[in-house]
């Protein structure tokens, strides 16, 4: 049996690539990439010349069986996405599930991801949190938001620059404009920025300043109401 490696790649700064990740990619018999063109630049930067094969959300169901057969034959295969850790709002889950079901060893390397730096930098509680990723764009979006109304843990969302203002406005309607939020953009890149405040304050900021880059929105959970103690006389 071979080994399936899940290899994180930088979300921005190339220096976030780990030495172990470089070694695994150089040793692998095959590297699966979400976009071979994007990953081709990454591999060239680190002088990695292994064969690349396309593996993304549109073909993963069709290619997974053949990949599992290669792993059964003893090949070492590494999976990467365009940025960050595969499986976290990126392709990866289906292949990992199929490989594990076939008794193949799966090893996930620690490394770059956008959600954890945004959470820790937010100044909001990070001992307990829930990762929501990208919200449904249309069907089920409002229902999903309503289901989070009573969530007490810090919530993490991914969003594009084209929808971030609309999403913040929807959050204000559901959670209240005074809910604390931290909006982090361009993590690990030159123009990295965190905008913190209430939802109303951050909405005002991005109404005046056009959102640019990739965004992680960290929203405070609902504060638990303290029960007052009534002393009987």
């Amino acid at each position: 049996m071979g080994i399936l490696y899940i290899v994180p790649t930088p979300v921005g700064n190339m220096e976030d690539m780990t030495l172990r990740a470089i070694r695994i990619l150089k040793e692998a018999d095959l590297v699966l990439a979400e976009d071979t063109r994007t990953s081709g630049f990454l591999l060239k930067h680190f002088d990695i010349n292994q064969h690349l094969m396309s593996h993304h959300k549109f073909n993963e169901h069709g290619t997974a069986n053949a990949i599992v057969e290669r792993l059964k034959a003893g090949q070492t295969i590494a999976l990467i996405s365009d940025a960050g850790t595969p499986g976290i709002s990126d392709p990866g889950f289906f292949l990992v599930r199929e490989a594990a079901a076939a008794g193949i060893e799966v090893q996930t390397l620690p490394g770059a991801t956008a959600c954890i730096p945004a959470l820790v930098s937010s100044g909001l509680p990070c001992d307990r949190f829930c990762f929501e990723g990208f919200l449904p764009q249309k069907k089920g979006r409002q229902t999903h938001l309503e289901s989070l109304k009573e969530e007490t843990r810090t919530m993490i969302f991914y969003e594009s620059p084209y929808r971030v203002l609309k999403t913040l406005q929807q959050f204000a309607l559901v959670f209240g404009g005074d809910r604390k939020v931290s909006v982090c953009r361009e993590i690990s890149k030159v123009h990295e920025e965190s905008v913190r405040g209430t939802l109303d304050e951050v909405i005002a900021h991005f109404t005046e300043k056009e959102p640019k880059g990739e965004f992680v929105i960290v929203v405070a959970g609902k504060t638990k109401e303290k029960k007052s103690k009534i002393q009987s006389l």
Side-chain angles (χ1 to χ4, degrees), residues 114-115 118 156-158 182-185 187 214-218:
C115 59
I156 306 171
F157 303 87
Y158 285 165
S182 174
V183 178
C184 191
R185 71 180 191 91
I187 290 172
E214 297 301 318
F215 284 81
V216 182
I217 305 173
V218 184

Side-chain angles (χ1 to χ4, degrees), residues 51-119:
H51 177 62
L52 272 175
M53 176 176 158
S54 180
H55 183 82
H56 47 73
K57 65 180 180 179
F58 300 110
N59 74 354
E60 60 181 344
H61 288 76
T63 59
N65 287 337
I67 294 167
V68 168
E69 290 304 313
R70 287 186 178 221
L71 289 161
K72 284 181 177 179
Q75 287 193 3
T76 297
I77 298 179
L79 172 66
I80 59 177
S81 61
D82 288 349
T85 300
I88 307 299
S89 293
D90 281 325
F93 159 72
F94 184 76
L95 179 59
V96 169
R97 185 183 70 181
E98 296 302 297
I104 293 161
E105 182 179 356
V106 179
Q107 290 190 21
T108 301
L109 278 61
T113 183
C115 59
I116 298 302
L119 171 65

Side-chain angles (χ1 to χ4, degrees), residues 148-179:
L148 296 171
K149 209 168 185 178
E150 302 300 315
E151 178 59 68
T152 58
R153 296 171 295 179
T154 302
M155 297 170 281
I156 306 171
F157 303 87
Y158 285 165
E159 194 51 277
S160 77
Y162 311 107
R163 292 191 300 269
V164 68
L165 184 56
K166 180 181 178 181
T167 296
L168 290 169
Q169 291 167 339
Q170 289 176 323
F171 286 171
L173 289 173
V174 174
F175 303 132
D178 60 346
R179 184 72 67 91

